[in-house]
């Protein structure tokens, strides 16, 4: 079976792959660093208008309703971000210039959200409503289906974009500057995104109405601009022949990482546990609105607080990653992820003060982008540069694996209780936190 797995000659099959130094291609490192940071900043300005922990599930609640439909969001999210990168890894490896992958997938992200915004334009929605009247099961069934299709297309493009960004970063940015790139992109991006959200969202989102077409339209436009920035990167051409493979061979490429690399297996457990936390993200806003009576306008405050949390945790995680390594960053971020559902359960039982304090829980949701970047940067360190696409694809699968249970989690929230589900997932996250102490620190090798 053909595979582009690393050459395992003269090393045990169960030992970590030797990481090659990921030095920048040429003297354009500073130019590329600034453009990669700018591209991520612009993308984050669009991302705040489609946060899947706040804006997206709130819109789904408005057009659909039941918890199991909201529970579809994480599984569509992770299917899009895990399976397509698996099939794309070989193609990406063989591309002479990886920046065109980054640019093309960002364009696809922008087009997907522009299509979604178009569905919510009042004349378009009215015209389609006349053809497909309200369903007895849920209102505006057609727009719910269109929403889910565009959402899946967007995260398919996002998954390809993430593996492309990781590969480009591994090629153009040296290992001791990747934490700095995370800091600049997340901190500056979060501050800029907060500014746009504070300025624009109050005009488009009130307790009485939500002009979703403007919200999603801005997000789509930001992704298109980010694609243009990525096209300006200076990248040396690689010489790597394209290796074709069947679906079975591509799955083998990804899963062989688990059999070859003992350290990656331990990281895979951490990634799977972290993936369990993502199943709860659409439900935090629903918990606050159902149990604490939070108004719809609170969505604006929550996205601002969440992005403020991303900026704050980036200030911590970026320098730590460059100074002490990514393992410490993963340990600290997993601690925050573990605490989130516990704090949520406590706050809904603390009376009026809980409603106020719950707003600040979204600071911890800001840990997520830093955790994702920490996982990716850790993988870039333990894998040979030529194997970055394969390792990143395997990582995406590990994060996505728990998502098969996401609709069941959404159903259980309605059928059992928020408390039982949140506490059960918190116990899993605690196991993931403990596992972060078992992985190696590449800087010590």
């Amino acid at each position: 079976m053909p595979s582009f797995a690393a050459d395992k000659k003269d090393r045990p099959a169960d030992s970590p792959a030797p990481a090659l130094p990921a030095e920048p291609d040429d003297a354009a490192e500073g130019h590329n660093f600034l453009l990669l940071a700018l591209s991520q900043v612009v993308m984050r300005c669009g991302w705040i208008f489609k946060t899947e922990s706040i804006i997206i599930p709130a819109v789904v609640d408005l057009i659909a309703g039941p918890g199991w439909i909201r529970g579809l969001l994480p599984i569509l999210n992770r299917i899009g971000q895990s399976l397509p990168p698996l099939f794309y890894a070989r193609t990406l490896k063989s591309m002479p210039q990886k920046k065109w992958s980054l640019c093309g997938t960002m364009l696809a992200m922008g087009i997907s959200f522009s299509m979604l915004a178009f569905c919510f334009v009042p004349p378009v929605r009215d015209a389609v409503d006349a053809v497909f009247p309200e369903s007895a099961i849920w209102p505006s069934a057609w727009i719910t289906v269109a929403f889910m299709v565009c959402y899946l297309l967007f995260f398919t493009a996002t998954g390809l974009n993430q593996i492309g960004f990781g590969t480009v970063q591994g090629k153009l940015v040296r290992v001791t500057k990747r934490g700095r790139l995370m800091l600049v992109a997340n901190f500056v991006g979060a501050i800029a995104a907060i500014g746009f959200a504070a300025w624009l969202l109050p005009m488009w989102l009130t307790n009485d109405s939500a002009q979703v077409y403007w919200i999603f339209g801005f997000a789509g436009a930001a992704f298109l601009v980010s694609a243009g920035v990525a096209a300006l990167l200076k990248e040396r051409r690689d010489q790597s022949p394209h290796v074709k493979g069947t679906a079975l061979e591509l799955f083998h490429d990804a899963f062989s990482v688990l059999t070859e690399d003992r350290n990656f297996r331990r990281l895979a457990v951490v990634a799977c546990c972290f993936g369990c936390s993502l199943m709860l993200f659409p439900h935090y806003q629903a918990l606050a609105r159902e149990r604490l009576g939070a108004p719809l306008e609170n969505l604006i405050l929550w996205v601002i607080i969440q992005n403020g949390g991303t900026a704050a945790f980036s200030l911590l995680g970026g320098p730590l990653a460059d100074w002490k390594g990514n393992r410490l960053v993963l340990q600290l971020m997993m601690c925050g992820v573990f605490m989130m559902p516990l704090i949520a359960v406590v706050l809904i039982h603390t009376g009026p003060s809980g409603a106020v304090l719950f707003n600040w829980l979204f600071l911890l949701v800001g840990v997520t982008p830093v955790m994702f970047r920490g996982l990716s940067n850790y993988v870039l360190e333990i894998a040979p540069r030529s194997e970055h696409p394969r390792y990143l694809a395997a990582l995406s699968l590990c994060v996505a694996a728990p998502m098969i249970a996401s609709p069941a989690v959404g159903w259980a929230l309605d059928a059992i209780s928020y408390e039982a589900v949140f506490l059960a997932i918190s116990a899993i996250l605690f196991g993931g936190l403990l596992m972060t102490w078992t992985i190696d620190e590449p800087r010590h090798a």
Side-chain angles (χ1 to χ4, degrees), residues 107-339:
L107 278 172
M109 291 167 64
I111 292 171
S112 298
F113 247 81
S114 298
M115 291 168 52
L116 187 54
F118 182 75
C119 291
F120 283 89
V121 173
V124 174
R125 187 170 179 178
D126 291 344
V128 180
D129 277 341
V131 179
F132 301 101
E134 289 189 358
S135 166
I137 302 174
W138 65 75
S140 301
W142 75 266
I143 202 167
T144 302
V145 174
F147 185 100
M148 294 300 179
V149 170
C150 290
Y151 189 77
L152 177 60
L153 291 175
F154 172 80
F155 275 105
T156 297
T158 299
L160 301 180
N161 179 264
Q162 288 173 346
I163 190 176
F165 179 83
T167 303
V168 169
Q169 179 186 229
K171 182 178 178 182
L172 302 182
V173 181
R174 68 186 69 231
V175 66
T176 54
K177 290 188 177 181
R178 291 173 192 162
R180 193 180 312 172
L181 177 60
M182 176 176 69
L183 168 62
V184 173
N186 283 345
F187 181 78
V188 177
I191 298 302
I194 288 171
F196 278 111
W199 171 35
L200 297 174
L201 279 180
M203 295 189 291
W204 300 337
L205 184 63
T206 67
N207 285 332
D208 300 322
S209 66
Q211 299 180 43
V212 178
Y213 48 94
W214 283 116
I215 297 172
F216 289 169
F218 182 90
F223 299 142
L224 295 175
V225 172
S226 181
V229 174
L232 302 177
L233 290 167
K234 295 181 180 179
E235 180 188 0
R236 186 181 64 218
R237 295 175 67 88
D238 289 333
Q239 300 297 326
S240 180
H242 180 63
V243 181
K244 296 181 179 180
T246 64
L248 182 61
E249 290 168 348
L250 294 169
F251 270 103
H252 177 267
D253 274 342
F255 283 107
S256 63
V257 177
L258 293 170
T259 61
E260 296 166 8
D261 194 332
R262 178 176 54 199
N263 189 45
F264 186 88
R265 285 200 296 272
R266 295 169 178 168
L267 181 71
V269 176
V270 177
C272 285
C273 293
F274 172 61
C276 290
S277 74
L278 303 180
M279 292 189 290
L280 293 182
F281 277 12
H283 307 294
Y284 282 104
Q285 58 84 31
L287 175 63
R289 293 194 294 118
E290 291 177 18
R291 299 287 287 272
L292 297 174
L296 190 61
E297 284 183 343
N298 271 24
L299 298 179
I300 301 172
L301 176 62
W302 294 340
V303 297
I304 290 174
I305 290 175
Q306 177 180 333
N307 278 265
T310 298
F313 288 114
S314 297
L315 280 175
L316 173 65
L320 272 180
D322 288 344
W323 179 37
K324 291 291 187 180
N326 287 293
R327 184 179 69 170
L328 179 58
V329 174
L330 294 180
Q331 290 169 344
L332 293 174
M333 297 307 119
M334 273 301 290
C335 186
V337 172
F338 155 67
M339 292 171 60

